[in-house]
C-alpha cells in the first residue's frame, strides 16, 4: 500500500471515530504473523470498542479498497489471522461475556471473549462451553467461530458449529444482520436478505455436490460448510459462517449453547507398542462413550523429560504410545465401571486409571502443550506447522498414521504426531528445511503428497484449524471443480470485491508464498550468548516462537510467571510472542532492520527479563537472553543509558560503599542528595534506596571454620552488602545439617546486573573470574550453594551460555539451592513450622531455572501452611526501579503479590528469597520479607 493511501486510511479512521488504531512498526511487526509460518505485515491494527467502530472501519476500508482481517488471540496455525490491510483485533476491548442464561443454557459473548473467561462466567451455574481447544486459556470465541474449532472433548460436546445458536455480524457493505433459531429450532436470519436470496439460488444449482461432498464425517472442516445451505437444512447461515475464517462477514458477537458439566471425570491412560496401534484402538475406545480420546507417543514425552526434567512426566503405563481417554458422568460408580471395562477391553499392553483431577492435570498438560513442545522435531531441528491438523475417519486413523510415517521418511522429515485420535484428527509439526535453498519447494512437494494421502483415506485437509494460507490452495485436490466453483459463488455473494481475509479459501495464496522463516537473513555480528540449544544460531533461537500464544494467558493462579508485562498492558507487542515477532522482523522483514531499530527497543522495553518464558513457554524461548543480546549489540562501544552505569554496575558501587557504609547511607537518605542520586542513576523518584549493611557478611565471616562436610557458600553482592543476616542464617542452617560452610578467598560475582543491562563483554570477564574462584571447590567435589535466586540462576544457566568451557559447565552442575542441598542430605529433617502461615513469592528465576519444587517439598515437610504465589513481583532487578517502568512494575505487583499481602493476616510470614521481591513488598506494601534460611534458622532456635 502506498504511503499516501496509508496516511489517508489512518486519517479517515480517526475522522470516523475509531479511537484505538496502531500503526507503529513494533505493533505491525507483532501482528505480521499468527501461529503460522507466514508473514504478512498489516498497514494498521484497529482494536474496536463497539459494533459501531467495526462498522466505521468497514466503511473506510471499503471506500479505499483496503483488505480486512478479523483476529482473536492470533493462535491461528494456518495463517488465517494475518492480512495486508487492517487487522481487527477483537481481544483488546470487545472481550465481554454479555449474558449467561441458565434457563436456556446459553450465553451471549463478544467476539474477543477468551474461552476461559466464558468458562469462568458459566461455572457458577454448573455450566460450560463444550468445545475446549488446547489454547483455551487464551483463544477467543470469535477465533473459534472463524475456524470451527473443536478441541479434546469434541466426542462429548461437538464442534464449535454444534454449539453456536446465533451470530451478530456485519457484511463488507456494513449491513448488520443476525442469525439464530426459532422456537421450533429452525434457522433464522434478520437482515442481509439480498445475500440470503443469492445463496439460495447458488445452492439450488449445486444440490448434488452439496449433498455428496460435504459432512462425510464430523472432522471435515476444510472449505465452506455449504451443506448448511441445503433446503432441508433451512438455509442455516450460522452453520455456514462458523468455519468461514472471516472471509464472508465480520462476526461481532455470538449466542452460544452451554452444557452441564458432569460431576465426575476419570482419566484412563492406555499404553500401546506404537502410534499406529494406538490409532487402531480408537474405534474400540469410542464404544465406551468417552468425552475425549487423545493420542501421544514417546517422542513428545521424551521432549518433556529432556526439557523439564525426569519428574515432569508422571508415571505412565507400559508402552511407547498412549491414548488419554476421559470417561465422564454424574454416577461415579458407573464411570468407574466403564473405565475398568475400557482398560480391560481396548487391547492395551498396560493401563492406568486416574480419578484425582490434580493427578490427571499434569498428564493433560502434556497434551495441551503439544503444539509448543513439537516446536522442536525429534531431529532437534525446528518443527514447523503447515500440515498440522489433517483428519480421517476414526476407523482408519491407525493405518493413516503408519502411512504418514512412511511419507515423512520418504521426504526426509522427522515428526512427532499427537492429537484427537478418537476423532481421527492428527496434529504434527515437521522439520521442513525452510531456511535452506529450495526449502519452500520441498515444503510444497510434501504438502501436495500429504494432501493426496489424506484424500485417499476419505479425509479432510483440516480437522479443526481451518485451511488458511497453508491449505486453501490444496482444496482442489480434495474437492471437485464444481465444489470449488460453489465456494467462489458463496464468497461472491458476501464479498464480491474480495476484501475480507483475501488469500484464504477462495482465490488462495500459494502455500509456499510469504513464508517467514524462508526469508530469514543470517546474523552477521558475533554473538555474546552461545545459544547452544539452537546450535549457536540466533535466527533459530528467536524462531522458536511458534505463536501458540501461551504468553497471553494468565497462569499465575497455577504458579506460572509468563508473561507479566502482557498481563499488565494487554498489548501484543508486550507479550513474549509479540517480542519474538519483532525480533524475527529484524531477520525476516524490513520494519526493524537492525539491532538498534526503534521497533526492537520499543518491544523489549517492558520485558522484565523474568525468564518466565524459558520455563512456561512450551517452545523454551528465553526472551531475557535475547533482550540482553539486543542491548549488548546496540550499545557496544556507545554511550549507554544512565541506569546501565548505575544499576548495571551495582556490585561495583556496593563494594565502594561498603568501605564507608554509614556515610553512604547518610548521603543517599538526605532529601536533596537522595533525589539527585536517583535522577543521576536513572531511577524513578518513587523508589527507595536500600541501606548498605554496616558490616558485610564476608567481613563477619572472616576466618571462621566449621566441622562437617564442606560446602562453598556463594555470597552474592546483594546478600553481602544489603542483607548479610540472610547469609548468617544460612551458616546456621547448614552447620545444623552437618555442613561446614566455606567462602572463596576473594569476593565472586555472577555478573547478573551486567547481563540484564546487556554489558555482556564485562559479564563474560566477571564470570570467567568467578569460574576460576569456584573451580577449586568443584575439583574437591564440594557443592556450591547459592542464596540469591537470580544469582544462582546465572550460575545454573547463563554462565554456560557466556563462558563456553568445561570448567564453567562443572561449576554450573555443582551449583544448588539450599533446599536442593538439604533435600539430598541423608538423615536431615526440617524443623517444625506447625502453625506458621506462609505467603511465598518464588523468585521468577528460581521458578524458571531451578524450579521451586524442592522448596515446596521442604516447606510441606515442616508442617507450615503455604500459599504459593504465581507471577512476578514486578521489580525484577533493575527493571522496576528504572525511570519509565514504575507504573507497569506496580501493575505487575497487583496481579498476585499485592492482593496476597493485603489479604494476609498480621502474623503471616512473607517468604521471598529474592532481594527484588522483598524490596518490592517493602516499597509498595511495607511488608518485610524473610528468606527460607531465616525461617528455618528461627525454627531451629526453638527446638
Amino acid at each position: 500500500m502506498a504511503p499516501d493511501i496509508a496516511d489517508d486510511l489512518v486519517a479517515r479512521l480517526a475522522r470516523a471515530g475509531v479511537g484505538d488504531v496502531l500503526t507503529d512498526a513494533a505493533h505491525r511487526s507483532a501482528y505480521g504473523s499468527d501461529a503460522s509460518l507466514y508473514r504478512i505485515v498489516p498497514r494498521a491494527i484497529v482494536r474496536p470498542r463497539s459494533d459501531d467502530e467495526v462498522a466505521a472501519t468497514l466503511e473506510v476500508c471499503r471506500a479505499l479498497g483496503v483488505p480486512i482481517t478479523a483476529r482473536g488471540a492470533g493462535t491461528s496455525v494456518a495463517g488465517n489471522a494475518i492480512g495486508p490491510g487492517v487487522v481487527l483485533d477483537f481481544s483488546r476491548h470487545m472481550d465481554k461475556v454479555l449474558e449467561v442464561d441458565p434457563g436456556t443454557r446459553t450465553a451471549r459473548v463478544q467476539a474477543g471473549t477468551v474461552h476461559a473467561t466464558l468458562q469462568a462466567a458459566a461455572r457458577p451455574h454448573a455450566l460450560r462451553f463444550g468445545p475446549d481447544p488446547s489454547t483455551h486459556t487464551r483463544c477467543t470465541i470469535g477465533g473459534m467461530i472463524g475456524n470451527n474449532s473443536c478441541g479434546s472433548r469434541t466426542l462429548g460436546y461437538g464442534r464449535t458449529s454444534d454449539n453456536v445458536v446465533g451470530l451478530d455480524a456485519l457484511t463488507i457493505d456494513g449491513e448488520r444482520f443476525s442469525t439464530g433459531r426459532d422456537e421450533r429450532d429452525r434457522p433464522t436470519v434478520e437482515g442481509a436478505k439480498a445475500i440470503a436470496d443469492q445463496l439460495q439460488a447458488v445452492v439450488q444449482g449445486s444440490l448434488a455436490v452439496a449433498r455428496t461432498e460435504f459432512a462425510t464425517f464430523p472432522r471435515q472442516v476444510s472449505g465452506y460448510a455449504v451443506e448448511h445451505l441445503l433446503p432441508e437444512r433451512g438455509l442455516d447461515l450460522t452453520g455456514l459462517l462458523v468455519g468461514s475464517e472471516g472471509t464472508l462477514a465480520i462476526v461481532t458477537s455470538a449466542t452460544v449453547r452451554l452444557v452441564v458439566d458432569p460431576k465426575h471425570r476419570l482419566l484412563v491412560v492406555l499404553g500401546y507398542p506404537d502410534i499406529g496401534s494406538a490409532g487402531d484402538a480408537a474405534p474400540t475406545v469410542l464404544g465406551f462413550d468417552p468425552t475425549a480420546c487423545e493420542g501421544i507417543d514417546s517422542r513428545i514425552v521424551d521432549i518433556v523429560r529432556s526439557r523439564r526434567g525426569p519428574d515432569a512426566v508422571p508415571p505412565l503405563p507400559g508402552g511407547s504410545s498412549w491414548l488419554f481417554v476421559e470417561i465422564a458422568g454424574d454416577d461415579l460408580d458407573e464411570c468407574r465401571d466403564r473405565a475398568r471395562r475400557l482398560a480391560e477391553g481396548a487391547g492395551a499392553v498396560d493401563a492406568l486409571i486416574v480419578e484425582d483431577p490434580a493427578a490427571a492435570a499434569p498428564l493433560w498438560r502434556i497434551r495441551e502443550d503439544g503444539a509448543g513442545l513439537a516446536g522442536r522435531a525429534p531431529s532437534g531441528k525446528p518443527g514447523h506447522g503447515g500440515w498440522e491438523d489433517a483428519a480421517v475417519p476414526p476407523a482408519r486413523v491407525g493405518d493413516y498414521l503408519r502411512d504418514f510415517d512412511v511419507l515423512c521418511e520418504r521426504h526426509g522429515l522427522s515428526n512427532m504426531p499427537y492429537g484427537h485420535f478418537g476423532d481421527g484428527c492428527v496434529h504434527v509439526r515437521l522439520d521442513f528445511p525452510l531456511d535452506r535453498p529450495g526449502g519452500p519447494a520441498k515444503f510444497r512437494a510434501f504438502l501436495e503428497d500429504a494432501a493426496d494421502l489424506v484424500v485417499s483415506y476419505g479425509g479432510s485437509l483440516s480437522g479443526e484449524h481451518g485451511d488458511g494460507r497453508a491449505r486453501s490452495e490444496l482444496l482442489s485436490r480434495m474437492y471437485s471443480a464444481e465444489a470449488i466453483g460453489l465456494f467462489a459463488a458463496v464468497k461472491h455473494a458476501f464479498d464480491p470485491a474480495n476484501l475480507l481475509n483475501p488469500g484464504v479459501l477462495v482465490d488462495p495464496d500459494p502455500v509456499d508464498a510469504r513464508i517467514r522463516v524462508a526469508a530469514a537473513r543470517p546474523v552477521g555480528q558475533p554473538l555474546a550468548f552461545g545459544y547452544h540449544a539452537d546450535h549457536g544460531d540466533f535466527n533459530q533461537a528467536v524462531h522458536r516462537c511458534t505463536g501458540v500464544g501461551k504468553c497471553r494467558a494468565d497462569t499465575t493462579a497455577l504458579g506460572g510467571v509468563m508473561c507479566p508485562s502482557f498481563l499488565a498492558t494487554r498489548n501484543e507487542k508486550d507479550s513474549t510472542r509479540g517480542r519474538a515477532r519483532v525480533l524475527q522482523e529484524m531477520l525476516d522483514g524490513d520494519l526493524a532492520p537492525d539491532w538498534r531499530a526503534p521497533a526492537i527497543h520499543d518491544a523489549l522495553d517492558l520485558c522484565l527479563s523474568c525468564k518466565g518464558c524459558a520455563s512456561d513457554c512450551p517452545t523454551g524461548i528465553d526472551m531475557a537472553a535475547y533482550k540482553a543480546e539486543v542491548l549488548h549489540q546496540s550499545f557496544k562501544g556507545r554511550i549507554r543509558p544512565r541506569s546501565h552505569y548505575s544499576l548495571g554496575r551495582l556490585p561495583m558501587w556496593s563494594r565502594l560503599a561498603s568501605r564507608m557504609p554509614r556515610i553512604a547511607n547518610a548521603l543517599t537518605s538526605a532529601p536533596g542528595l537522595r533525589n539527585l542520586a536517583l535522577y543521576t542513576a536513572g531511577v524513578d523518584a518513587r523508589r527507595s534506596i536500600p541501606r548498605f549493611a554496616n558490616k558485610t557478611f564476608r567481613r563477619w565471616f572472616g576466618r571462621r571454620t566449621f566441622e562437617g562436610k564442606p560446602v562453598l557458600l556463594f555470597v552474592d553482592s546483594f546478600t553481602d552488602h544489603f542483607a548479610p543476616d540472610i547469609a548468617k542464617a544460612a551458616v546456621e542452617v547448614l552447620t545444623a545439617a552437618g555442613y561446614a560452610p566455606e567462602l572463596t578467598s576473594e569476593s565472586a560475582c555472577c555478573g547478573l546486573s551486567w547481563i540484564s543491562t546487556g554489558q555482556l563483554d564485562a559479564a563474560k570477564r566477571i564470570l570467567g573470574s568467578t569460574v576460576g574462584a569456584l573451580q577449586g571447590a568443584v575439583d574437591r567435589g564440594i557443592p556450591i550453594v547459592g542464596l540469591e535466586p537470580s544469582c544462582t540462576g546465572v550460575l545454573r544457566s547463563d554462565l554456560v551460555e557466556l563462558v563456553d568451557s568445561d570448567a564453567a559447565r562443572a561449576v554450573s552442575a555443582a551449583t544448588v539451592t539450599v533446599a536442593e542441598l538439604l533435600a539430598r542430605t541423608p538423615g536431615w529433617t526440617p524443623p517444625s513450622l506447625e502453625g506458621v502461615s506462609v505467603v511465598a513469592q518464588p523468585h521468577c528465576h528460581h521458578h524458571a531455572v531451578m524450579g521451586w519444587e524442592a522448596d515446596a517439598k521442604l516447606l510441606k515437610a515442616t508442617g507450615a501452611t503455604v500459599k504459593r504465589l504465581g507471577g512476578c513481583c514486578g521489580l525484577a532487578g533493575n527493571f522496576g526501579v528504572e525511570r519509565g517502568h514504575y507504573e507497569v512494575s506496580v501493575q505487575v505487583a497487583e496481579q498476585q503479590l499485592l492482593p496476597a499481602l493485603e489479604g494476609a493476616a498480621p502474623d503471616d510470614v512473607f517468604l521471598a528469597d529474592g532481594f527484588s521481591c522483598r524490596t518490592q513488598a517493602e516499597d509498595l506494601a511495607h511488608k518485610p520479607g524473610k528468606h527460607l534460611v531465616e525461617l528455618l534458622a528461627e525454627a531451629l532456635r526453638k527446638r
Side-chain angles (χ1 to χ4, degrees):
M1 185 183 297
D4 54 340
I5 297 178
D7 294 341
D8 193 19
L9 169 66
V10 174
R12 288 199 189 194
L13 287 170
R15 288 198 298 270
V18 181
D20 193 352
V21 181
L22 305 171
T23 58
D24 60 280
H27 273 106
R28 291 175 60 213
S29 299
Y31 282 85
S33 190
D34 42 19
S36 72
L37 293 174
Y38 301 97
R39 170 188 175 269
I40 302 178
V41 176
R43 178 52 53 189
I45 301 96
V46 171
R47 302 190 294 188
R49 290 183 167 88
S50 65
D51 287 22
D52 289 342
E53 286 200 5
V54 175
T57 302
L58 288 171
E59 182 178 357
V60 169
C61 290
R62 186 174 65 252
L64 293 174
V66 173
I68 300 167
T69 300
R71 178 174 171 127
T75 55
S76 304
V77 185
N80 330 55
I82 52 176
V86 166
V87 169
L88 279 172
D89 180 357
F90 284 93
S91 69
R92 184 63 177 88
H93 303 297
M94 295 183 68
D95 60 348
K96 309 296 189 298
V97 176
L98 302 174
E99 178 187 13
V100 174
D101 186 340
T104 60
R105 292 183 182 173
T106 59
R108 285 187 61 240
V109 298
Q110 292 180 305
T113 302
V114 171
H115 180 284
T117 303
L118 172 58
Q119 300 293 50
R123 193 173 299 120
H125 307 287
L127 299 172
R128 59 167 290 142
F129 184 56
D132 60 344
S134 61
T135 55
H136 61 89
T137 56
R138 62 273 191 195
C139 72
T140 66
I141 302 301
M144 293 180 67
I145 290 169
N147 292 350
N148 196 9
S149 298
C150 301
S152 299
R153 294 185 172 89
T154 310
L155 294 174
Y157 306 121
R159 305 164 299 174
T160 297
S161 57
D162 301 313
N163 292 272
V164 176
V165 178
L167 301 170
D168 295 313
L170 290 93
T171 69
I172 187 61
D173 292 328
E175 182 179 4
R176 304 182 193 218
F177 68 99
S178 298
T179 70
R181 307 194 80 82
D182 64 15
E183 65 280 357
R184 295 171 60 184
D185 201 33
R186 295 176 303 187
T188 63
V189 59
E190 296 181 13
K193 185 178 185 306
I195 292 175
D197 290 345
Q198 191 173 347
L199 291 173
Q200 279 186 320
V202 165
V203 79
Q204 280 295 328
S206 302
L207 290 175
V209 171
R211 285 176 176 144
T212 59
E213 293 195 36
F214 297 89
T216 60
F217 74 106
R219 284 297 186 114
Q220 184 179 344
V221 168
S222 281
Y224 290 133
V226 295
E227 69 271 17
H228 292 287
L229 298 178
L230 288 166
E232 56 267 32
R233 302 238 186 171
L235 198 71
D236 181 3
L237 290 195
T238 303
L240 174 69
L241 289 172
V242 176
S244 62
E245 304 183 35
T247 62
L248 302 181
I250 301 295
V251 173
T252 58
S253 62
T255 300
V256 298
R257 185 174 291 111
L258 302 177
V259 296
V260 176
D261 218 1
K263 293 180 181 177
H264 307 287
R265 295 185 187 275
L266 276 62
L267 171 62
V268 183
V269 186
L270 304 170
Y272 296 92
D274 56 70
I275 196 79
S277 300
D280 290 338
T284 301
V285 171
L286 297 182
F288 293 87
D289 196 23
T291 50
C293 177
E294 302 292 290
I296 64 170
D297 78 352
S298 58
R299 285 169 281 191
I300 202 165
V301 171
D302 290 345
I303 288 287
V304 177
R305 287 176 174 147
S306 66
R307 188 174 298 164
R308 299 176 180 172
D311 296 333
V313 178
L316 289 166
S320 295
S321 296
W322 299 271
L323 292 180
F324 288 13
V325 183
E326 184 177 82
I327 298 295
D330 293 334
D331 185 330
L332 180 58
D333 288 337
E334 187 278 330
C335 288
R336 285 171 170 166
D337 178 66
R338 201 159 20 118
R340 178 188 56 77
R341 289 188 290 110
L342 170 62
E344 294 172 354
V349 297
D350 196 7
L352 173 69
I353 298 175
V354 184
E355 291 192 19
D356 181 6
L363 290 165
W364 282 117
R365 198 169 300 127
I366 295 170
R367 168 60 193 87
E368 286 185 359
D369 284 346
L373 293 169
R376 273 292 184 275
S379 63
K381 300 174 184 176
H384 301 292
W387 188 259
E388 75 290 322
D389 75 318
V392 299
R396 308 193 69 187
V397 70
D399 287 337
Y400 170 73
L401 284 163
R402 281 184 279 268
D403 282 349
F404 186 77
D405 269 344
V406 172
L407 177 67
C408 290
E409 186 175 348
R410 192 168 80 237
H411 281 265
L413 302 172
S414 67
N415 71 91
M416 192 185 303
Y418 61 97
H420 318 295
F421 287 11
D423 295 289
C425 184
V426 178
H427 294 313
V428 67
R429 300 181 79 89
L430 297 158
D431 50 356
F432 299 115
L434 295 173
D435 58 341
R436 304 297 180 195
K442 294 178 181 178
F443 173 69
R444 167 180 283 278
F446 176 85
L447 259 57
E448 291 174 348
D449 285 353
D452 292 342
L453 175 64
V454 79
V455 169
S456 74
Y457 274 90
S460 177
L461 309 182
S462 172
E464 65 179 347
H465 294 160
D467 297 304
R469 287 169 170 78
R471 288 175 288 277
S472 291
E473 189 193 0
L474 304 172
L475 288 172
S476 60
R477 305 178 94 91
M478 175 179 170
Y479 289 111
S480 67
E482 190 175 356
I484 297 297
L486 181 55
F487 293 164
V490 169
K491 170 73 169 176
H492 188 268
F494 278 96
D495 180 28
N498 195 23
L499 291 178
L500 294 178
N501 215 8
V504 172
L505 291 176
V506 174
D507 192 16
D509 284 351
V511 295
D512 52 355
R514 302 179 176 185
I515 294 177
R516 178 168 25 90
V517 180
R521 299 177 292 271
V523 176
Q525 299 88 342
L527 298 167
F529 283 99
Y531 305 103
H532 300 307
D534 297 291
H535 313 291
D537 188 344
F538 186 74
N539 214 316
Q540 273 198 29
V542 299
H543 280 93
R544 274 180 175 269
C545 177
T546 59
V548 295
K550 191 175 180 181
C551 48
R552 290 174 56 99
D554 185 355
T555 61
T556 55
L558 301 175
V561 170
M562 178 183 73
C563 174
S565 56
F566 175 78
L567 295 180
T569 69
R570 296 190 64 205
N571 289 327
E572 175 70 16
K573 75 174 180 65
D574 297 324
S575 68
T576 307
R577 179 180 69 182
R579 294 183 177 109
R581 293 293 183 247
V582 180
L583 286 169
Q584 290 166 11
E585 184 69 16
M586 180 179 76
L587 304 168
D588 307 338
D590 51 15
L591 293 179
D594 54 46
W595 299 98
R596 293 176 59 79
I600 299 285
H601 290 264
D602 183 16
L604 290 173
D605 178 51
L606 295 183
C607 173
L608 284 78
S609 297
C610 67
K611 282 189 177 288
C613 50
S615 61
D616 296 358
C617 176
T619 69
I621 203 163
D622 186 356
M623 195 55 62
Y626 308 162
K627 179 176 181 177
E629 185 76 62
V630 167
L631 293 174
H632 166 73
Q633 300 289 351
S634 297
F635 293 109
K636 189 174 183 178
R638 296 181 173 93
I639 296 175
R640 291 175 165 271
R642 294 197 303 274
S643 62
H644 289 198
Y645 298 105
S646 56
L647 301 172
R649 302 177 183 181
L650 184 60
M652 181 180 71
W653 304 124
S654 298
R655 283 194 296 273
L656 291 174
S658 68
R659 299 174 183 174
M660 42 185 179
R662 290 181 174 83
I663 295 175
N665 288 331
L667 290 174
T668 54
S669 60
L673 290 175
R674 174 188 178 279
N675 293 339
L676 178 62
L678 291 173
Y679 175 80
T680 303
V683 174
D684 191 284
R686 290 163 286 191
R687 286 297 181 183
S688 64
I689 298 179
R691 294 183 63 81
F692 295 98
N694 290 334
K695 179 184 285 188
T696 66
F697 170 75
R698 292 187 67 88
R699 289 180 184 170
W700 173 87
F701 192 90
R703 298 181 180 275
R704 283 179 167 84
T705 58
F706 302 92
E707 295 294 326
K709 187 177 179 179
V711 294
L712 184 68
L713 196 59
F714 182 77
V715 184
D716 58 275
S717 300
F718 302 100
T719 303
D720 193 28
H721 297 291
F722 298 107
D725 288 345
I726 289 174
K728 295 175 187 176
V731 170
E732 193 173 346
V733 171
L734 292 173
T735 54
Y739 290 101
E742 302 176 2
L743 304 185
T744 55
S745 57
E746 300 292 335
S747 61
C749 180
C750 71
L752 172 66
S753 59
W754 280 270
I755 294 172
S756 61
T757 52
Q759 302 179 74
L760 299 183
D761 287 337
K764 285 184 176 184
R765 291 193 297 272
I766 292 166
L767 281 169
S769 175
T770 297
V771 168
L774 300 176
Q775 184 63 48
V778 173
D779 291 342
R780 293 162 56 202
I782 297 175
I784 301 166
V785 182
L787 295 175
E788 169 59 38
S790 56
C791 299
T792 309
V794 170
L795 297 184
R796 287 273 282 266
S797 64
D798 290 338
L799 168 61
V800 296
E801 294 292 336
L802 289 167
V803 181
D804 188 8
S805 68
D806 291 339
R809 285 183 279 276
V811 167
S812 180
T815 301
V816 294
T817 67
V818 171
E820 288 172 337
L821 178 70
L822 294 176
R824 70 190 197 194
T825 301
W828 182 82
T829 57
S832 174
L833 289 172
E834 291 283 349
V836 177
S837 294
V838 174
V839 177
Q841 172 72 70
H843 189 284
C844 296
H845 291 195
H846 199 152
H847 163 87
V849 178
M850 290 82 74
W852 203 68
E853 289 73 18
D855 297 69
K857 290 178 181 177
L858 189 156
L859 287 166
K860 183 178 182 180
T862 67
T865 301
V866 180
K867 178 181 180 180
R868 176 183 176 176
L869 305 183
C872 178
C873 74
L875 193 66
N878 58 292
F879 173 85
V881 299
E882 289 178 337
R883 291 169 65 89
H885 292 164
Y886 181 83
E887 284 75 14
V888 170
S889 175
V890 173
Q891 287 176 316
V892 172
E894 288 171 343
Q895 293 164 13
Q896 285 268 311
L897 176 62
L898 293 183
L901 295 181
E902 290 165 4
D907 293 337
D908 287 356
V909 174
F910 174 52
L911 181 66
D913 287 2
F915 179 76
S916 295
C917 307
R918 296 192 301 273
T919 301
Q920 182 81 317
E922 284 270 19
D923 271 8
L924 302 183
H926 310 294
K927 178 73 174 180
K930 291 183 184 293
H931 192 287
L932 176 64
V933 293
E934 293 180 297
L935 193 60
L936 294 175
E938 289 175 3
L940 284 171
R941 296 175 202 135
K942 296 176 182 177
R943 271 185 170 177

